[in-house]
Amino acid sequence: MTVNTIDSLGNITWWGFTPALNLIECLKKYCPSEADIFDDINILCVGMTDSRHILRTLSSNATETDKFKTFYVVEAFHETYARMMLQLYTALECSTRVNLQDKTEFYLEIFGNIMIRDVTYKYLINAANDLIRLVTDLGCLIPLKIFNLTYLKFKERDMLESILKFWRGNDGTKFDAGKCWDYRLRKHLGTRYDAIPNIFDWDCSITLHDRKATTVNAKEYAYWRQHGMAFELREANYNVSNRSLASGRIFKNSAGDKGIYWGYWGDIICSPFLAFGIDTSECCALSRLVNGKHAYAASTISEVNVRRMLWQLENHKECPLHIAIPFLDSSTTSNDFDISGKTHVSSQYDSVVNNGTHNNEDYLNNKNDNYMYTDTEESKEEKALIVTKPYNESTHCNGDYTKHLDSTEYVPLDIANTFEVNFLPCDSFLDLPTRYRSIFLKNYDNNIGSVNKRFRIIYIGNSLVHLLSDLHSKQKKMNNESLFKPPFNPNQKECDEKLEHKKAEHSLENDLFGMNISDISFTDLLEDEALLIIESILYIVTIRSEQIKTYCENVRQMAHNLGFEPVKEINPLEDHHLYFRFKRKSD
């Protein structure tokens, strides 16, 4: 990547650059022979950057409440851990505390806007308070038991606490997100700043659309590039800085002294639309074309996809179309969608035309009204679920909503009992086969060692994919060093003493007694058959086609060095994820 590309992507990734995946569905598709025999699945996520894959996986498999899913997360920054906890915290809100529409808006605003509404910021403060209690309490809070922080070092917990306290804004630290965004934009464009409309239109209309991300509207993309606002889902004042998008970065001053400066150091070219806004496979009604252009913009598609996932998390069944897309006319909300029906539009960038004119006022003006349907085929119970009444904006400003959040205890949805997210120390991926091996391979319950936590799925984001090469180099170096060292063969008594000492301390260090360290490899942590998913750089607009092809070839070689082979032919200019399969050879 060029220096300009690296600078525009920033030093921290706040959202993924590819659509959300149902990881279990990918496993069933590319490893069909073994996918159905495992009730409990362990998934390693490296550089995932956000919660999109976790939400898509859980919501799409919400009916499988008997199967437990364990996610192990490794990131490069603690700010990413905090953001991921916040996103899952919001997604698992019970409807009695935060209704579906508010939850959808909170999630998307915090996810992709540098400026948020006042009520969203109040919700952010309330969530930060709960997460601080989780981070600082050694005994995990029962409502938040889905987050396992026991593997983090104490200094990492301290960093998480300081990040969450910064979100509350009580320490007096200023964070002007608008100025930070404008500074990054001017520095990135330089002398091209005056040509902003043309530059943004080229990146969207030529680059993204040529790479099949055609749902991203050129106007909404340009607006995000210039102002950092992706999801303005209602007519309201977005005037509070989103402090969850702030991070520290080390700079040198003129005297050569180093200092940490808080600001927005994330992506300013790809956009958060890529995570939820370019996939219409779950709601085909959103793929409608009007005069050759998509009727719905990426912001609307994102809202629909997130609303659908959040509803499925709570109700454990497929979301009806009239709930996922409430702005459609009731006559078009059956499963057999009729694209000729009258349509209301939820985004100013949507292209749906009603009687020859753009019409989005009806839906925007009714954002605070109940969504009522009179379909006689709906049961009373389902009708009650369809009605969604967001809190009135004026009520928010009066502080009643804050009192409501403080007085109502946070209780996660029932689906929280079917999964767990384990946060591993930052940058610990290279040490997983050695230092942290005992987390996945040893279970000392009843003094019995057993293999029980091997990975079935490994997901690696493009920001940390270089770790595959580093892992191979490290293992190769260890193998070479072992040729010049005598084998370590302690007597049985010494092994037993050290093993008992390890059990008593519950140490995370790997139990390597009687084993040559050169015999340890990453594949020891995998099931006999495992799937490796790697995020592509397809939608990074400053990357040329030749660079994408080179990236895919390098990834293929890195995966091959670790024992993975492609499950299908790689198409660099169409595949937003690359899939590789590991199969252990029988003895």
Side-chain angles (χ1 to χ4, degrees):
M1 295 185 186
T2 63
V3 175
N4 192 41
T5 299
I6 296 175
D7 179 70
S8 59
L9 292 176
N11 74 321
I12 185 171
T13 307
W14 291 124
W15 43 73
F17 300 146
T18 50
L21 293 178
N22 178 356
L23 299 178
I24 295 181
E25 185 64 30
C26 293
L27 178 66
K28 294 178 179 179
K29 180 178 180 180
Y30 296 114
C31 298
S33 60
E34 302 288 342
D36 295 330
I37 66 175
F38 286 87
D39 291 335
D40 299 336
I41 296 180
N42 299 301
I43 304 173
L44 175 64
C45 303
V46 182
M48 187 170 57
T49 72
D50 58 34
S51 63
R52 69 191 190 282
H53 298 312
I54 296 179
L55 288 184
R56 178 76 182 271
T57 300
L58 295 176
S59 63
S60 299
N61 299 274
T63 58
E64 300 178 356
T65 56
D66 58 328
K67 294 186 178 182
F68 195 83
K69 307 161 192 71
T70 306
F71 298 89
Y72 293 90
V73 179
V74 178
E75 296 289 345
F77 297 93
H78 297 92
E79 290 88 347
T80 310
Y81 284 162
R83 283 256 302 177
M84 196 175 297
M85 287 193 293
L86 173 62
Q87 292 166 13
L88 292 174
Y89 175 97
T90 305
L92 296 177
E93 282 275 12
C94 185
S95 59
T96 57
R97 187 170 186 261
V98 179
N99 62 64
L100 179 61
Q101 183 61 28
D102 279 339
K103 185 162 56 172
T104 302
E105 293 177 2
F106 288 162
Y107 184 93
L108 287 175
E109 285 181 37
I110 293 173
F111 182 83
N113 287 359
I114 64 166
M115 304 296 292
I116 56 180
R117 293 175 295 149
D118 181 67
V119 63
T120 307
Y121 182 59
K122 292 176 181 177
Y123 177 81
L124 176 61
I125 293 175
N126 182 271
N129 289 331
D130 284 346
L131 294 176
I132 287 174
R133 287 193 291 271
L134 167 68
V135 172
T136 57
D137 187 4
L138 297 181
C140 181
L141 297 177
I142 297 300
L144 297 174
K145 62 181 180 180
I146 57 172
F147 302 127
N148 183 6
L149 306 177
T150 58
Y151 301 130
L152 295 180
K153 303 173 184 177
F154 284 105
K155 66 177 181 180
E156 291 184 300
R157 286 193 175 212
D158 292 340
M159 293 186 68
L160 280 176
E161 181 186 3
S162 65
I163 292 168
L164 295 170
K165 287 183 176 179
F166 174 82
W167 289 0
R168 299 187 305 184
N170 296 336
D171 57 357
T173 305
K174 294 183 179 180
F175 174 60
D176 191 330
K179 287 185 178 180
C180 292
W181 186 273
D182 187 65
Y183 167 79
R184 290 283 311 285
L185 183 63
R186 290 177 181 273
K187 187 175 185 299
H188 169 62
L189 295 178
T191 57
R192 299 183 300 159
Y193 185 83
D194 293 334
I196 273 181
N198 297 330
I199 294 174
F200 296 163
D201 183 71
W202 176 275
D203 288 342
C204 181
S205 301
I206 303 300
T207 305
L208 286 178
H209 289 181
D210 283 353
R211 298 175 186 177
K212 312 303 181 184
T214 54
T215 58
V216 180
N217 183 280
K219 291 183 179 180
E220 70 177 353
Y221 175 78
Y223 187 79
W224 174 82
R225 285 285 299 267
Q226 188 164 4
H227 303 286
M229 299 294 293
F231 306 108
E232 295 188 16
L233 303 181
R234 65 168 68 204
E235 291 182 336
N237 292 324
Y238 294 80
N239 53 5
V240 182
S241 295
N242 184 0
R243 298 175 77 91
S244 72
L245 287 177
S247 62
R249 190 171 182 179
I250 299 176
F251 288 93
K252 285 185 179 181
N253 58 21
S254 57
D257 299 328
K258 293 182 179 180
I260 297 179
Y261 295 86
W262 284 85
Y264 178 82
W265 306 114
D267 164 47
I268 60 171
I269 59 171
C270 293
S271 85
F273 299 126
L274 299 174
F276 301 107
I278 63 176
D279 182 11
T280 60
S281 60
E282 298 291 340
C283 296
C284 296
L286 298 176
S287 61
R288 177 187 175 188
L289 298 178
V290 175
N291 297 328
K293 295 183 179 181
H294 281 277
Y296 299 100
S299 56
T300 301
I301 296 174
S302 298
E303 180 184 2
V304 171
N305 282 332
V306 171
R307 184 189 294 114
R308 179 187 57 80
M309 288 190 294
L310 298 182
W311 191 91
Q312 290 180 175
L313 286 175
E314 184 166 8
N315 295 277
H316 307 288
K317 58 183 178 180
E318 191 70 23
C319 180
L321 192 61
H322 52 256
I323 296 179
I325 318 179
F327 48 82
L328 289 181
D329 188 89
S330 59
S331 63
T332 67
T333 56
S334 64
N335 291 332
D336 299 327
F337 177 71
D338 181 9
I339 63 173
S340 63
K342 178 181 176 182
T343 309
H344 296 292
V345 187
S346 66
S347 171
Q348 58 181 318
Y349 305 108
D350 292 341
S351 302
V352 173
V353 179
N354 182 25
N355 295 329
T357 60
H358 289 277
N359 184 357
N360 64 348
E361 295 181 358
D362 292 341
Y363 177 67
L364 291 174
N365 292 335
N366 291 327
K367 274 282 189 175
N368 293 329
D369 296 337
N370 295 355
Y371 300 134
M372 300 296 296
Y373 299 90
T374 58
D375 192 345
T376 57
E377 296 180 0
E378 298 291 338
S379 65
K380 292 183 179 180
E381 179 181 0
E382 191 162 344
K383 282 184 179 179
L385 294 173
I386 296 173
V387 178
T388 305
K389 185 177 182 180
Y391 284 91
N392 187 278
E393 197 74 23
S394 61
T395 304
H396 289 156
C397 297
N398 292 332
D400 292 345
Y401 193 62
T402 303
K403 295 179 181 178
H404 166 72
L405 292 175
D406 293 337
S407 61
T408 308
E409 182 182 2
Y410 177 85
V411 178
L413 301 176
D414 293 338
I415 199 171
N417 298 320
T418 67
F419 77 100
E420 182 182 59
V421 180
N422 298 271
F423 294 96
L424 301 177
C426 284
D427 295 326
S428 60
F429 177 71
L430 297 180
D431 294 326
L432 294 184
T434 53
R435 185 177 184 184
Y436 301 102
R437 178 189 179 98
S438 60
I439 297 177
F440 315 106
L441 297 186
K442 291 293 183 180
N443 179 10
Y444 291 126
D445 294 340
N446 300 323
N447 294 327
I448 298 176
S450 61
V451 177
N452 65 338
K453 293 183 179 180
R454 286 180 171 175
F455 301 124
R456 289 285 292 148
I457 304 173
I458 306 96
Y459 181 92
I460 300 182
N462 53 34
S463 61
L464 295 181
V465 71
H466 62 278
L467 294 179
L468 290 178
S469 178
D470 296 341
L471 181 63
H472 175 67
S473 299
K474 182 178 180 180
Q475 293 182 172
K476 187 176 180 180
K477 181 180 179 181
M478 291 167 56
N479 292 335
N480 292 336
E481 290 178 350
S482 66
L483 299 177
F484 304 97
K485 292 183 179 180
F488 177 61
N489 294 314
N491 57 49
Q492 184 64 36
K493 182 178 180 181
E494 184 179 355
C495 286
D496 293 340
E497 291 176 353
K498 291 184 178 181
L499 183 59
E500 291 299 327
H501 181 66
K502 288 289 182 180
K503 293 178 184 178
E505 291 184 349
H506 299 283
S507 173
L508 294 181
E509 297 293 337
N510 183 34
D511 175 20
L512 301 177
F513 312 125
M515 179 183 293
N516 193 325
I517 195 171
S518 63
D519 295 333
I520 304 168
S521 66
F522 178 72
T523 55
D524 291 337
L525 306 181
L526 307 180
E527 293 285 357
D528 292 339
E529 190 172 3
L531 178 66
L532 172 64
I533 306 174
I534 298 180
E535 184 182 28
S536 178
I537 57 174
L538 178 64
Y539 299 123
I540 300 180
V541 296
T542 55
I543 298 295
R544 298 189 298 272
S545 300
E546 295 76 11
Q547 293 173 306
I548 298 176
K549 295 177 182 178
T550 302
Y551 171 87
C552 292
E553 177 58 29
N554 291 339
V555 166
R556 188 200 64 78
Q557 185 60 46
M558 287 187 289
H560 174 75
N561 292 338
L562 293 175
F564 293 87
E565 297 298 334
V567 297
K568 64 174 185 176
E569 183 179 357
I570 298 176
N571 190 334
L573 299 183
E574 292 187 7
D575 297 338
H576 49 71
H577 284 95
L578 311 178
Y579 301 90
F580 302 88
R581 182 179 180 180
F582 169 80
K583 191 168 185 178
R584 198 182 310 278
K585 297 180 180 179
S586 57
D587 296 334

